[in-house]
Amino acid sequence: MSFTLLSSPLQGFTDFRFRNAFHHYFGGIDTFYAPYIRLDGKMVVKNSYQRDLLPEHNDTLEVIPQVITNDAEEFLFVAKYVQELGYKELNWNLGCPYPMVTKRGMGSGLICDPAKIDNILDRAHSETDILVSMKMRMGYENSNEILDAFPILDKYPLKNIAIHARIGKQLYKGGVDLDAFERCIPATKHKLYYNGDITNVAAFKDMQERFPSIDHFMIGRGLIADPFLPNMIKNNTTEYPKDRWKIFSEFHDTIYEQYDAALSGPTPIKMKMQGFWSYFSESFSNPQKSFKKIKKANNPKAYKQAVADILKSEQ
């Protein structure tokens, strides 16, 4: 069966600079989801969100904007904004697990409130013609929350529901709950996408075999940890290209230069790249040693030398 691979958005990581470089050097992802737009009660789209969704920054990719909100007016405002940019779909994030979001009744903290979900979806479908899709966890406190929400979701012509097979309070700890995801499949009329812990080709094949009716799979942290993974899945191989580290080096230098130009001063670029290396290092033969080298690099020259040393040790 043919399948589609999608990039799950990670706030602070998968913006247009990363997406374009990833697409150029690695490929394998059919559709990218942009990190969510959050308004916080002010009907203003921040400059960083605006830049991320500019059509000229996404002209070689299929990109779907995302919103995180528990307010119908905010949803409608963002829907109108992205439609004016030419986007036809808006993904609603009911998946974010972080307490700073969930304590405010957003992200996975909203799944337990079907009435509020109903109100927002009702207005979205009666007051706009945008196509709505969902990105969800299975709940915040327990995996039955999503089952209680499905009767509401089934009232609307949603494009799909992408489910990360964890509950919110887990954050990213512990394993995915595949039994709970399996219970979701017959519980809704909507098309489901699978998300969670696809970190290698074998894990992807396991998910395919476990859920033969699912043909859309989202990769989040695994895509940053091993950028070759989507293309390897597509080509049904566990073999890396012979020039693996050369390709990775060129990709790394591209995003480094672009973020360095966009950020002001040595500290922001240091923190940005440390964030990436917390994932990148997982693909190296000694993850802890590699990441430690990056963290010890206190200036751009030391950082570039650390990267060169890490790559040299792999080659």
Side-chain angles (χ1 to χ4, degrees), residues 47-294:
N47 288 338
S48 58
Y49 299 146
Q50 291 186 35
R51 283 192 296 274
D52 192 43
L53 291 176
L54 282 173
E56 58 264 36
H57 288 164
N58 299 282
D59 56 357
T60 62
L61 312 173
E62 182 176 337
V63 175
I64 297 169
Q66 188 181 77
V67 63
I68 193 165
T69 185
N70 60 6
D71 180 85
E73 294 298 336
E74 287 188 356
F75 191 105
L76 296 172
F77 181 86
V78 173
K80 184 182 180 199
Y81 175 76
V82 300
Q83 281 187 304
E84 286 172 352
L85 290 173
Y87 296 98
K88 295 178 170 55
E89 177 182 342
L90 181 60
N91 186 261
W92 187 15
N93 183 314
L94 269 68
C96 182
Y98 291 109
M100 58 192 283
V101 168
T102 58
K103 282 178 181 173
R104 298 184 61 183
M106 295 190 293
S108 59
L110 183 56
I111 300 171
C112 64
D113 192 345
K116 188 169 273 192
I117 295 170
D118 192 17
N119 171 254
I120 293 171
L121 288 176
D122 178 58
R123 292 195 59 191
H125 287 90
S126 60
E127 297 178 42
T128 79
D129 60 354
I130 200 158
L131 187 59
V132 179
S133 58
M134 311 290 290
K135 173 83 166 69
M136 304 179 73
R137 291 229 171 178
M138 294 183 298
Y140 183 78
E141 291 288 343
N142 64 75
S143 59
N144 288 323
E145 290 176 25
I146 195 169
L147 299 178
D148 294 336
F150 279 148
I152 297 299
L153 301 179
D154 281 355
K155 291 167 56 179
Y156 300 98
L158 304 174
K159 180 188 170 193
N160 66 273
I161 304 170
I163 301 175
H164 183 127
R166 282 184 173 88
I167 56 172
K169 70 179 183 181
Q170 274 185 270
L171 297 178
Y172 290 98
K173 297 167 189 166
V176 285
D177 187 342
L178 300 183
D179 291 341
F181 180 82
E182 194 159 13
R183 288 195 293 273
C184 292
I185 295 173
T188 177
K189 70 176 187 180
H190 288 302
K191 183 174 184 66
L192 299 186
Y193 295 0
Y194 175 83
N195 179 213
D197 285 11
I198 296 176
T199 55
N200 53 55
V201 176
F204 172 77
K205 287 184 174 178
D206 287 346
M207 300 306 173
Q208 258 194 325
E209 286 178 25
R210 175 79 186 260
F211 308 118
S213 65
I214 303 295
D215 61 4
H216 284 63
F217 297 87
M218 297 184 90
I219 307 177
R221 296 169 300 148
L223 176 143
I224 304 176
D226 185 356
F228 293 93
L229 177 60
N231 206 30
M232 288 164 70
I233 290 172
K234 282 285 180 75
N235 289 305
N236 191 24
T237 181
T238 55
E239 296 289 320
Y240 287 92
K242 287 188 171 62
D243 55 350
R244 172 185 181 180
W245 298 116
K246 178 175 181 286
I247 296 169
F248 178 84
S249 177
E250 290 174 2
F251 162 73
H252 168 274
D253 292 351
T254 297
I255 62 170
Y256 179 88
E257 287 164 14
Q258 291 185 4
Y259 286 120
D260 194 31
L263 299 168
S264 52
T267 302
I269 185 65
K270 175 187 167 186
M271 299 313 294
K272 170 67 80 173
M273 297 313 295
Q274 269 191 26
F276 277 115
W277 275 97
S278 70
Y279 293 108
F280 289 160
S281 61
E282 293 175 29
S283 285
F284 288 79
S285 49
N286 193 328
Q288 283 183 310
K289 187 178 177 184
S290 298
F291 191 41
K292 193 174 178 183
K293 274 190 176 182
I294 295 296

